[in-house]
Amino acid sequence: AVVSTQSTGMDDDDTDLSKVFENTLKYTAKFSFYQNRETIKAVREMLQTKNLHKFEAASLANLCPDNYEEAKALIPSLEDKFDDEELNELLEDLKTFKDLTQ
């Protein structure tokens, strides 16, 4: 959100900067799964009810893996905390929050 609001203040003299800025904006849009504060708060509260380290919770929320295999590949410590079915249920819950904001 902060990056997108900055794009309105750029002029033609910032051509090189604007290319980098545009790429940054595309990158941040790619990973902005949750669009409003209420959804972000709900995701955080849901993840806090699980037995997750802060890094694991943040990684799950930010990366939003598609399935348990991807989640465990990206965050190996999840292997010892969840069986495959439990982790898939958690990921489905995250997808529900993501779908609410699209």
Side-chain angles (χ1 to χ4, degrees):
V2 172
V3 176
S4 64
T5 58
Q6 294 298 317
S7 64
T8 57
M10 299 183 83
D11 56 21
D12 292 335
D13 292 336
D14 297 325
T15 341
D16 290 336
L17 181 60
S18 65
K19 288 178 184 178
V20 171
F21 186 83
E22 185 178 325
N23 289 338
T24 302
L25 185 60
K26 287 179 186 176
Y27 180 81
T28 56
K30 180 180 178 182
F31 290 101
S32 62
F33 297 115
Y34 315 109
Q35 300 297 321
N36 60 57
R37 292 191 188 278
E38 293 82 25
T39 304
I40 294 168
K41 183 179 178 183
V43 167
R44 184 178 297 143
E45 288 173 354
M46 188 268 296
L47 290 172
Q48 286 175 344
T49 64
K50 309 299 179 188
N51 184 25
L52 294 168
H53 185 274
K54 289 180 182 182
F55 168 79
E56 294 166 333
S59 296
L60 283 171
N62 290 326
L63 298 172
C64 218
D66 289 328
N67 56 53
Y68 73 88
E69 293 165 328
E70 184 179 0
K72 289 181 178 181
L74 293 169
I75 313 162
S77 59
L78 296 177
E79 188 74 43
D80 300 329
K81 293 189 176 188
F82 298 98
D83 65 33
D84 298 344
E85 187 177 320
E86 288 174 320
L87 189 50
N88 263 342
E89 288 176 17
L90 174 64
L91 296 174
E92 287 300 317
D93 290 343
L94 284 175
K95 286 178 191 172
T96 302
F97 287 112
K98 186 170 93 171
D99 292 341
L100 291 174
T101 61
Q102 293 180 352

